[in-house]
Amino acid sequence: MKFFALLLLLSATFISFSQKKIVDYTAYPEWKVIKDYQLSNDGNYFAFTTEPYEGNTTSYLLKVDSKVDTLLTIKRGSTVKFDKNSTFFITKISGDYKTVRDLKIKETKAFKLPKDTLLIKNLMSLDAKKILLPNVDKYDVVDSSSLIIGAFTHNFMLKNNALSKGNDKKLKEGYDGKEKTFFVANAQEGVIFQTNNSVDYYLDEEQLFVLVVEKHTKKRKDFYTVTKIDLKTFDTYELEQRFEKIENCYTSSKQNTTFLIGKLFDTKQKRNDLYRVKADFSAVDSVNINKLIDSNFVISPNSSFELLADSDILLFDLQRFEPEKKKDTLLKEEKVKVDVWTWNEPNLKTIQLLKSKKHYSEKFLARYDLTNQKIDQVEDDTLKISKRWKKSPYALISSSDQYNLATAFDYPWKEDVSFIDLRNGKKTLLLKENFSATILTPNADYFYFEKEADTNYYVRNLVTQKEECVTCDIQERWKEDLNGMDYIPSLAGRMYVDEDESSVWFNSTKALYRYNAKDNKLRQITPKDWLNRKIELNFYKIVSDSQYFNSENGLIEVFDLETKYNAYYTIDKDYKMKEILNGYFNAFAFVKDKKNQRFFARIQTNELYPNFNEVKDGKQYPITDVNPQQKDYNWSTVELVKWTAYDGQELQGLLYKPEDYDSTKKYPLIVYYYETSTEDIHRYSAPRPTASIIFSTEYASSGYFVFMPDIRYNIGYPAKGAYNSIMSGTDYVLSCYPSIDSTRMGLQGQSWGGYQTAQLITMTNRYAAAMAGAPVSNMFSAYGGIRWGSGMSRQFQYEHTQSRIGKTIWSAPELYVENSPIFGLPKVTTPLLIMHNDGDGAVPWYQGVEMFMGLRRLQKPVWLLNYNGDEHNLMKKGNRKDLSKRMKQFFDFYLNGGVEPEWMEKGESNY
């Protein structure tokens, strides 16, 4: 099997449009997405996994050379991985989708569901047989020795890499899914070591050995032991101590230390304690940490661990002690359950209630001095670590409690920022009332921050306390575009610390810069003449989990705002740029093949699914073809449109039309919007059920034009901004395409787009149907409402952010009236479909109810869909399918000659 996506797409042009199918809900199961991928370190192999909306995943192993060969196609393969040395490939094969689904319908216990099978392919000998390891609960690849370690479930033992007779027939009586078999395997022989009765295992940080926790029973009492297994010799060292419980283990061969959290067996311990294992693994010493911890706290069972380098400081987590619940002595009707809201509490009661749900599970970092046997709690309810570099003893900590009251109505939210030396616990205040992103370099020499006075970025030398301005000399716009929102703008792009641990890289909208804190020099990496172009620049780390930004790990993307042309550049160690790819498409998920000096990237357009391509010498060669069935469907085409709005602004938008467009026919039009859309001109829209919005491809496929205008706003007048952009854009599209039927036009938007839909139908009657998802209908009641998902007040967003009023309801009530759809309902003639769900955590669902109740009172055609318990955007698969069908039926009835469905004509009675 070979993958040549472009050839298949080109061949589609020879199929008659009349033979092509329409994209609708029946097409959803056919479309697959790439879920997991990896390139081997030697650059010779590429693996990926595809997943359909419903059904089994599939993994592929490709040989990448002058031609692309598929070495393996693994049905139900769900993840892919190569070892560091490129000696083997491994994929996890999951249970059959339908089988698992049927078992879940029968409420089968989780541990009885089909388990995963590991497939291991030896890349050093491609003719060798694949190794299959069944019923694997979890596994890890030991890169230092090219081993695979893991655990079988159901207490399976393997003999000659086959299940021992009888073990696969029946689970032993009373099995609860916890007991496992630990194993070590390689790509040549399969399983080479195993031990039964394991419960869990913990890999050494340096991958030299593993700790295996085993369960035993004696005289009907369960206890646990810990065994250390050397991953080179497979010598084992078992601790003599028995444990009633082991919650967690940490081990580092480099630091020659091992810690356990748990309880010793046959003791009267009530709480977990911390134990340090002796270097020869002969015994453990109780650290007696509980004597030093505040009685209101305990060691977190799943604590993280770190022994700071060159110190005796151990970092771990605490959490609150949860007391036993007292026996109930009251009848249900005698109990009082009340929330008392008070005016002078810094946090709203809703925020307090949300926090109370994780009161006993919330973690707090603590530091323990092993030499002096002293413990300090680094974090508490008011002080949290906000950023910490790996292997660094320094961390940024922040406190915002003193500003909590203001978060209800102010934005950006503020905090005091300090840094802590975790070796001695010393805290140093850096900045009060901070409102933007900050960076502390790993060695704590420099601190980068934004000043409110001039909204420039500065750097402070923490040794000399001298400050220098980083951005003062930048003439072009480096701050974010607020598009009518009223708050202090911050950096438009992103900022990374250089591997020299003192300099930073950051971008404006048109340039990439590197600032060296040691000599206070700002260097522009990108060409000066780019400042005269209408572009938007972004830069990324190719290996995203890299801690620092290295120029050779950098990628620059330049998007032409006029033509929508993309170009991609790399940077060498001397900061010289090289263009590696360009075109009218979007590329992402870059993978660098250092050995062969090439890249792999996903490339997409409206018409082209984002398959992986080999990128070399400025050209791209497709290596995957995930959705070849697209050639059988009537797709969409997209064009960029530009027009002058009523207020004189030059605006842009996207216009989608059917692939089989015929200028002699008449077509309906749907206008969809949020804020801006033209940056997505090259985005592929796969057929799938919707969470809240229309998908351009699906509607264009069935004979619609879809128009997506960019919307520009001014503070205080969001409704006028939407009217100015949407209406003028509609005028322009109609003038360009007489084939659009102006009597069959619709509107659709979700959330902020839903508000604009609800507002626009009070300002014009030119649209024949509209759908508003989660709309704000009354800015007065919404202003005083709660974002139930976070428990926060909604006031700040009306005064400063997306709602863009810029004033309080008391200082400018007229703006709240002008921008509230509820006050214009008598003018509405457009039939409206509303979706607003009672589990919405962003926009209170009573906003949709207010809109519905007003139109119902006025006897205007209106329908409200409330998907019970679902969220702002639908999360449940069944609900997404249902909305996709109903929304299409609604628009088809009003705009495209469809039949009125019964639910619209008669409703759906619940009695």
Side-chain angles (χ1 to χ4, degrees), residues 673-692:
Y673 35 76
Y674 188 76
E675 293 192 2
T676 61
S677 299
T678 52
E679 64 271 17
D680 295 327
I681 187 171
H682 303 308
R683 178 170 292 180
Y684 181 90
S685 178
R688 63 198 186 280
T690 182
S692 56

Side-chain angles (χ1 to χ4, degrees), residues 447-460:
F447 176 62
Y448 290 86
F449 62 99
E450 185 176 356
K451 279 189 179 180
E452 186 171 357
D454 61 358
T455 66
N456 272 296
Y457 261 88
Y458 285 77
V459 61
R460 182 186 305 160

Side-chain angles (χ1 to χ4, degrees), residues 557-810:
E557 178 186 24
V558 178
F559 183 55
D560 192 302
L561 295 172
E562 290 292 311
T563 65
K564 310 306 177 186
Y565 190 82
N566 261 318
Y568 301 86
Y569 301 82
T570 57
I571 320 164
D572 65 19
K573 61 183 179 180
D574 297 319
Y575 310 136
K576 293 180 180 178
M577 294 170 46
K578 178 183 178 182
E579 185 177 292
I580 60 168
L581 189 63
N582 63 67
Y584 291 101
F585 50 70
N586 169 251
F588 64 102
F590 279 81
V591 180
K592 189 174 184 179
D593 178 7
K594 296 180 181 179
K595 180 179 177 181
N596 299 295
Q597 295 300 305
R598 59 183 175 181
F599 291 85
F600 294 88
R602 299 183 68 179
I603 295 176
Q604 66 176 340
T605 67
N606 173 67
E607 294 87 7
L608 185 65
Y609 176 81
N611 278 294
F612 268 100
N613 286 247
E614 177 187 349
V615 177
K616 192 171 184 179
D617 299 326
K619 297 180 181 179
Q620 63 267 20
Y621 309 92
I623 65 168
T624 69
D625 182 27
V626 173
N627 290 298
Q629 76 281 1
Q630 181 180 317
K631 67 182 182 301
D632 300 325
Y633 285 84
N634 185 38
W635 209 249
S636 64
T637 62
V638 62
E639 64 178 282
L640 179 69
V641 294
K642 302 176 183 180
W643 72 96
T644 303
Y646 299 148
D647 65 355
Q649 287 190 81
E650 297 298 320
L651 297 179
Q652 296 181 342
L654 303 178
L655 184 64
Y656 297 83
K657 57 180 182 289
E659 182 183 17
D660 62 353
Y661 166 66
D662 183 345
S663 61
T664 65
K665 295 181 179 179
K666 284 290 187 178
Y667 294 87
L669 171 73
I670 293 182
V671 187
Y672 167 80
Y673 35 76
Y674 188 76
E675 293 192 2
T676 61
S677 299
T678 52
E679 64 271 17
D680 295 327
I681 187 171
H682 303 308
R683 178 170 292 180
Y684 181 90
S685 178
R688 63 198 186 280
T690 182
S692 56
I693 66 173
I694 65 164
F695 292 133
S696 54
T697 293
E698 182 171 342
Y699 278 77
S701 179
S702 60
Y704 285 82
F705 273 65
V706 179
F707 176 47
M708 297 182 181
D710 287 349
I711 302 176
R712 304 298 301 183
Y713 308 93
N714 292 313
I715 297 175
Y717 302 96
K720 287 181 179 177
Y723 183 95
N724 175 61
S725 303
I726 296 168
M727 293 287 283
S728 64
T730 300
D731 289 342
Y732 179 76
V733 168
L734 289 174
S735 70
C736 293
Y737 285 92
S739 53
I740 296 176
D741 187 343
S742 63
T743 66
R744 293 191 289 143
M745 300 193 303
L747 302 170
Q748 201 276 323
Q750 160 72 10
S751 190
W752 180 242
Y755 156 71
Q756 291 172 105
T757 297
Q759 177 66 22
L760 203 59
I761 62 174
T762 70
M763 303 170 75
T764 179
N765 60 5
R766 78 187 301 186
Y767 300 96
M771 190 278 179
V776 165
S777 59
N778 182 349
M779 286 201 174
F780 281 95
S781 58
Y783 177 86
I786 297 290
R787 297 180 67 93
W788 296 109
S790 61
M792 296 189 64
S793 165
R794 294 175 54 83
Q795 294 172 355
F796 75 92
Q797 69 185 67
Y798 291 88
E799 296 178 38
H800 297 289
T801 64
Q802 191 173 54
S803 298
R804 294 175 167 88
I805 301 301
K807 296 180 182 295
T808 69
I809 55 173
W810 306 283

Side-chain angles (χ1 to χ4, degrees), residues 15 83 85 163 209 220 414 490 511 539 640 671 716 818 879 881:
I15 299 176
D83 71 306
N85 300 315
L163 287 175
F209 59 84
R220 297 186 179 182
K414 294 183 178 180
S490 191
F539 80 112
L640 179 69
V671 187
E818 179 182 330
N879 291 342
K881 290 181 179 179

Side-chain angles (χ1 to χ4, degrees), residues 159-351:
K159 187 174 183 180
N160 298 324
N161 289 304
L163 287 175
S164 295
K165 187 177 180 180
N167 283 341
D168 58 339
K169 300 297 182 183
K170 186 178 180 180
L171 299 177
K172 74 176 185 180
E173 188 176 349
Y175 179 72
D176 59 4
K178 294 181 180 178
E179 294 178 40
K180 305 174 178 68
T181 294
F182 172 77
F183 70 87
V184 180
N186 62 31
Q188 294 79 36
E189 306 162 81
V191 173
I192 56 176
F193 179 90
Q194 58 186 342
T195 178
N196 214 342
N197 302 320
S198 66
V199 175
D200 210 343
Y201 67 85
Y202 300 87
L203 183 61
D204 165 46
E205 280 196 340
E206 287 70 43
Q207 299 189 337
L208 297 182
F209 59 84
V210 63
L211 301 182
V212 178
V213 179
E214 296 179 344
K215 180 181 179 181
H216 308 273
T217 302
K218 188 172 184 179
K219 295 182 180 180
R220 297 186 179 182
K221 293 181 72 174
D222 293 337
F223 65 90
Y224 299 86
T225 59
V226 181
T227 301
K228 173 183 173 181
I229 302 173
D230 189 305
L231 290 174
K232 287 186 177 180
T233 64
F234 300 114
D235 291 337
T236 61
Y237 311 86
E238 184 176 331
L239 283 175
E240 293 182 359
Q241 280 83 353
R242 297 176 178 183
F243 295 85
E244 175 189 331
K245 179 188 291 186
I246 292 180
E247 300 283 8
N248 201 1
C249 301
Y250 165 79
T251 181
S252 170
S253 55
K254 182 178 180 180
Q255 295 175 308
N256 198 23
T257 185
T258 299
F259 289 95
L260 311 175
I261 294 176
K263 299 178 184 177
L264 281 174
F265 189 61
D266 283 340
T267 63
K268 295 182 179 180
Q269 279 181 262
K270 291 185 177 180
R271 302 187 183 194
N272 294 321
D273 210 338
L274 182 67
Y275 301 91
R276 187 172 192 177
V277 181
K278 292 185 177 180
D280 61 0
F281 221 74
S282 60
V284 298
D285 293 324
S286 173
V287 182
N288 292 320
I289 202 78
N290 287 325
K291 295 180 180 179
L292 305 174
I293 298 174
D294 184 313
S295 60
N296 293 314
F297 288 84
V298 294
I299 304 170
S300 179
N302 54 349
S303 171
S304 59
F305 282 105
E306 183 178 348
L307 188 61
L308 287 178
D310 303 319
S311 79
D312 284 330
I313 302 300
L314 177 70
L315 303 179
F316 61 95
D317 298 313
L318 301 175
Q319 64 186 51
R320 291 185 180 88
F321 172 67
E322 185 172 8
E324 292 184 13
K325 292 184 179 179
K326 295 181 180 179
K327 189 175 181 180
D328 214 336
T329 59
L330 294 175
L331 296 173
K332 186 176 181 180
E333 58 267 27
E334 294 175 330
K335 295 177 183 177
V336 176
K337 190 174 182 181
V338 60
D339 298 326
V340 180
W341 297 41
T342 59
W343 67 275
N344 56 356
E345 288 179 297
N347 273 324
L348 276 170
K349 183 61 64 176
T350 47
I351 294 176

